[in-house]
Amino acid sequence: GCGALHVMWDDLAEIRTLALDPAWIRRGVGHRLLDSLEGAARRLEIGRLFCLTFEVEFFEKHDYLNVGDDGLVPPEVYAELVRSTDEGVAEFLDLARVKPNTLGNSRMLKALPPLAD
């Protein structure tokens, strides 16, 4: 399996490319990968994670919320993200400069609790 954490802003990062060999699905590997990426985000003091996914049920099991098109981020963060040249950010925000979300993937968002002292 593989996965990546892409830091977008001081309080926001994306879970990217979380994928498994089909032979390893339903063996806990995806959960361990996601837990590891979330741990890395906490160590970096990232407060929120998002992803674009077809695996809504998997991410819901990890407390990600399907946010649809409204309330993705506060207006001041949105203003900063709009200036990003990253196409993943543009797709997440559904900006006009990227193709419409015809694939039907879902926008998921999770607030991370801080690390315990």
Side-chain angles (χ1 to χ4, degrees):
C2 64
L5 179 69
H6 183 80
V7 177
M8 308 305 251
W9 188 243
D10 63 345
D11 187 41
L12 184 68
E14 179 182 11
I15 298 294
R16 285 191 178 175
T17 321
L18 188 59
L20 297 177
D21 181 299
W24 289 93
I25 292 174
R26 302 211 186 284
R27 293 185 175 190
V29 175
H31 296 284
R32 288 192 298 273
L33 283 169
L34 184 57
D35 288 345
S36 177
L37 293 170
E38 288 181 2
R42 283 188 183 96
R43 288 188 297 279
L44 293 170
E45 299 181 359
I46 300 294
R48 290 170 297 151
L49 293 173
F50 77 89
C51 65
L52 297 169
T53 186
F54 295 105
E55 300 298 332
V56 172
E57 186 176 318
F58 171 82
F59 282 95
E60 284 177 339
K61 288 179 183 176
H62 288 270
D63 301 321
Y64 285 75
L65 300 175
N66 191 336
V67 294
D69 294 329
D70 298 323
L72 298 177
V73 293
E76 63 275 7
V77 174
Y78 182 89
E80 290 293 328
L81 289 172
V82 166
R83 291 193 283 264
S84 172
T85 58
D86 188 289
E87 291 302 310
V89 171
E91 185 178 352
F92 180 70
L93 297 176
D94 202 23
L95 300 180
R97 74 173 192 249
V98 296
K99 66 180 180 169
N101 183 6
T102 57
L103 297 176
N105 54 5
S106 296
R107 292 174 179 86
M108 308 288 294
L109 187 66
K110 178 179 182 175
L112 291 176
L115 285 174
D117 292 329

